[in-house]
Amino acid sequence: MNEEEFEVTKGDIFEDLELEESDDLTVRSDLLSEINRIIDSSNLKQKDIAQLLGISPSKVSMLLNGKLSAFSTDTLMRYLRLLGCSVQIQLVKVRKPLTSTVRRGKFS
């Protein structure tokens, strides 16, 4: 009988892959998912979405295909606003404390 091996993850694929910008990738992924949900539920054609967002249909295709590298966080938030969303940023305590001592606004 074959035993299946598995690993318990942290729940964040980018962090699990130990990517340097895992937090930014997670945020952009969440924003892109919401954009795709809105577009899917709108029943609009790609050319209509392109016109609404002020981008080319090929950029809409990149959105729908999850091309994270093509869009910054700011751009994705702007698209959400254009799609009728109110974007709010919430700050929470960091998971890990800073390892350097912070004095007078500088790390030492």
Side-chain angles (χ1 to χ4, degrees), residues 31-43 64 85:
L31 295 171
L32 187 58
S33 292
E34 185 61 19
I35 289 168
N36 281 318
R37 189 193 65 71
I38 293 167
I39 290 172
D40 287 343
S41 67
S42 75
N43 296 319
L64 296 174
C85 292

Side-chain angles (χ1 to χ4, degrees), residues 6-23:
F6 62 92
E7 182 178 332
V8 176
T9 70
K10 299 170 187 157
D12 181 338
I13 186 67
F14 303 114
E15 191 174 332
D16 291 338
L17 293 172
E18 297 179 358
L19 298 176
E20 271 185 41
E21 299 175 354
S22 65
D23 289 340

